Amino acid sequence: MFHLPISSLPAQFGNIDIYLFDQLLKGRIRKGMKLLDAGCGGGRNVQYLMQAGVKVYGADASEEAIAKVRGMAAELAPTLSPKNFVVADLANLPFADAAFDVVLCSAVLHFAYDEAHFRSMILELWRVLQPGGMLLCRFSTTIGLEGKLQEVAPGKYQMPHGPVWFLAHEPLVRELVYTLQAEMLEPLKTVLVEQERSMTTLVLRKKDEVL
Ligand SMILES: C[S@@+](CC[C@H](N)C(=O)[O-])C[C@H]1O[C@@H](n2cnc3c(N)ncnc32)[C@H](O)[C@@H]1O
């Protein structure tokens, strides 16, 4: 069996999110699949995927981020079109319904302006996912910190490290899963960081359409 030397792992995987890595190890993301990284930033989560033959697309509100990820694609996966990477708000994505096998959204949803924007973004991520596809979202919530954070406007919290974020509470997350009639591929997993912020990972499968 071929083993990669441990020292080659950072070059291979870069700063990939461990929950995304977990899904790779579980075989849920494969070569040839169409994957959207929604709120891709500079592309840390798609560096490996591009090289592994995943058909990567990206959307981000920041022109600078999209320029960076296009540059990464030109270097690592020149067969990917620069048009795969678009400047867009996640609440209004310029992609067709059911366009993707996998939609990834890491560290973005807590930048929602309010609950309506948060809901719109989730519904839009769901719209572009095909039946049978997987949505992986990682975002800050109040889970495990209920009553401990300062709410400065409905759903908006002053975070101890400085910014004001929109934090979904657990009933909202569960309600959305129910409304989408999604299958939970993993239990809801939440990490508390120094009792100051809470990062929740939601991994959903869109059920196949009933014929
Ligand atoms: C903390 S970075 C995370 C980037 C990347 N997903 C990662 O995990 O490294 C948040 C990114 O979300 C983008 N973003 C925030 N709100 C957005 C929105 N409503 N629509 C699209 N992108 C958004 C920002 O421009 C930024 O690039």
Side-chain angles (χ1 to χ4, degrees):
M1 193 179 171
F2 177 71
H3 288 279
L4 288 171
I6 285 178
S7 57
S8 76
L9 290 179
Q12 280 271 318
F13 294 102
N15 194 18
I16 198 167
D17 187 287
I18 53 165
Y19 294 93
L20 173 59
F21 191 63
D22 181 37
Q23 295 307 311
L24 277 169
L25 294 178
K26 287 175 175 157
R28 292 182 178 143
I29 304 173
R30 297 182 295 278
K31 188 175 176 177
M33 282 184 163
K34 272 180 82 176
L35 175 145
L36 172 65
D37 188 357
C40 56
R44 72 175 175 117
N45 279 321
V46 288
Q47 175 190 327
Y48 170 76
L49 299 174
M50 282 178 179
Q51 297 174 85
V54 175
K55 292 176 187 154
V56 173
Y57 290 67
D60 200 286
S62 156
E63 283 184 23
E64 201 182 328
I66 291 302
K68 196 169 171 201
V69 80
R70 277 188 185 144
M72 179 189 277
E75 192 183 326
L76 301 179
T79 56
L80 292 177
S81 167
K83 291 184 188 157
N84 286 15
F85 305 96
V86 296
V87 178
D89 190 289
L90 299 195
N92 188 16
L93 290 169
F95 298 111
D97 294 357
F100 299 101
D101 300 293
V102 178
V103 176
L104 168 67
C105 185
S106 180
V108 186
L109 293 171
H110 45 260
F111 295 113
Y113 313 133
D114 53 24
E115 184 178 322
H117 188 220
F118 177 82
R119 286 175 180 272
S120 302
M121 289 196 279
I122 298 248
L123 291 178
E124 192 65 345
L125 300 179
W126 200 247
R127 179 186 68 77
V128 300
L129 184 66
Q130 71 166 31
M134 177 176 76
L135 171 64
L136 189 162
C137 296
R138 187 149 190 264
F139 52 104
S140 195
T141 63
T142 62
I143 298 173
L145 290 175
E146 290 88 349
K148 292 188 180 161
L149 295 168
Q150 190 194 350
E151 192 171 12
V152 293
K156 304 272 283 198
Y157 292 82
Q158 178 63 57
M159 304 304 292
H161 65 291
V164 172
W165 280 356
F166 173 82
L167 302 182
H169 48 72
E170 186 170 353
L172 172 58
V173 177
R174 301 259 179 216
E175 182 221 299
L176 279 163
V177 173
Y178 177 79
T179 306
L180 299 173
Q181 298 188 17
E183 177 191 340
M184 289 184 72
L185 286 174
E186 304 282 344
L188 210 56
K189 292 180 185 169
T190 299
V191 172
L192 283 184
V193 184
E194 297 283 1
Q195 295 290 316
E196 290 198 342
R197 70 197 146 95
S198 169
M199 292 300 294
T200 296
T201 305
L202 179 66
V203 190
L204 301 178
R205 179 178 176 275
K206 192 171 189 172
K207 289 182 187 155
D208 294 310
E209 275 163 339
V210 182
L211 296 176

